Amino acid sequence: MKKIIFTITIISSISYSKSLVNISNNLEYIDVNVSGKKIRIHRINDTSYKLSDDFTKTSRICPPFCIQPIRPVKGVKNIEELELIDFIKTKISSHKGLLIDARTRDWYNIETIPGAINIPFTITQTNDKKIIDKLFKLLGVKIDKNGNYNFSNVKDLALFCNGLWCAQSPTFIRNIVKYGYPKDKIYYYRSGMQGWKLLGLTTQIHKVKEVK
């Protein structure tokens, strides 16, 4: 069985102090607690800074790296950076939501958004009900003795992958929706890692904890 990966508890706070490059007009940073370690999400305070890694690329072979629709499924909410930061501050800190990095494990191990857990999109492509059951239990789904799913108290999910050209999180979303996961509980961060890094926002490199 493939492994479901997770790491986090988030506690957020806002500080208002002078900075050259804020997140928004009155928000300089937020602090999050990731596996007992405080990480500060802010923007790089250097107006001459430019990306120099793979995320500077504008063109990738399509297919498979094709531009994704703004909503992978009708009824799913699209969010961008400010909404995602608010999701981290509110939904994750209250244990009502999960930020899911739907990329494969090798991508997650290199770099991710602070507070994200890794559930590779490939897990949702299985026909093995035991694996789907384990995934859904992590997401707050109740399963009765007959194997039926109860989605009444599931978590809000914010999902992302590498960027506008990445189909991994859209695939994850489509696959859980077909089992009945409520569309109004799903938020799609289409800009993904490329958009997050383009704005100079904090990223995290960490070791993975696994649930076997």
Side-chain angles (χ1 to χ4, degrees), residues 37-85:
K37 179 182 178 182
K38 186 177 81 170
I39 294 179
R40 178 160 292 179
I41 296 177
H42 59 91
R43 295 176 69 190
I44 295 169
N45 199 25
D46 177 0
T47 57
S48 65
Y49 183 84
K50 295 181 180 180
L51 295 180
S52 59
D53 60 13
D54 233 19
F55 290 110
T56 62
K57 291 177 66 174
T58 62
S59 304
R60 294 170 173 83
I61 296 172
C62 169
F65 304 113
C66 301
I67 296 172
Q68 298 299 306
I70 192 167
R71 290 182 183 87
V73 177
K74 186 177 180 180
V76 168
K77 302 179 184 71
N78 178 264
I79 59 173
E80 291 300 336
E81 292 75 24
L82 293 180
E83 294 83 9
L84 181 55
I85 288 169

Side-chain angles (χ1 to χ4, degrees), residues 181-201:
Y181 205 94
K183 299 173 188 176
D184 62 353
K185 303 290 283 185
I186 301 173
Y187 300 81
Y188 172 42
Y189 176 42
R190 178 173 176 253
S191 294
M193 287 296 298
Q194 190 162 31
W196 187 263
K197 293 191 67 174
L198 184 63
L199 290 173
L201 286 159

Side-chain angles (χ1 to χ4, degrees), residues 89-101:
K89 289 193 303 177
T90 57
K91 297 292 186 179
I92 299 181
S93 63
S94 64
H95 307 289
K96 294 180 180 178
L98 294 172
L99 173 58
I100 297 175
D101 184 337

Side-chain angles (χ1 to χ4, degrees), residues 129 133 136 141-150:
K129 191 175 186 302
D133 286 355
F136 276 1
V141 178
K142 302 297 182 184
I143 305 173
D144 67 22
K145 62 182 180 181
N146 296 317
N148 299 313
Y149 298 135
N150 181 340

Side-chain angles (χ1 to χ4, degrees), residues 116-167:
I117 68 172
N118 182 222
I119 307 177
F121 78 102
T122 50
I123 288 176
T124 68
Q125 294 179 308
T126 181
N127 292 319
D128 188 332
K129 191 175 186 302
K130 289 183 179 179
I131 294 177
I132 297 300
D133 286 355
K134 186 172 183 179
L135 167 63
F136 276 1
K137 285 179 181 178
L138 178 65
L139 306 183
V141 178
K142 302 297 182 184
I143 305 173
D144 67 22
K145 62 182 180 181
N146 296 317
N148 299 313
Y149 298 135
N150 181 340
F151 296 98
S152 59
N153 292 305
V154 295
K155 294 182 181 295
D156 291 303
L157 309 178
L159 294 107
F160 69 94
C161 50
N162 274 322
L164 306 175
W165 45 272
C166 179

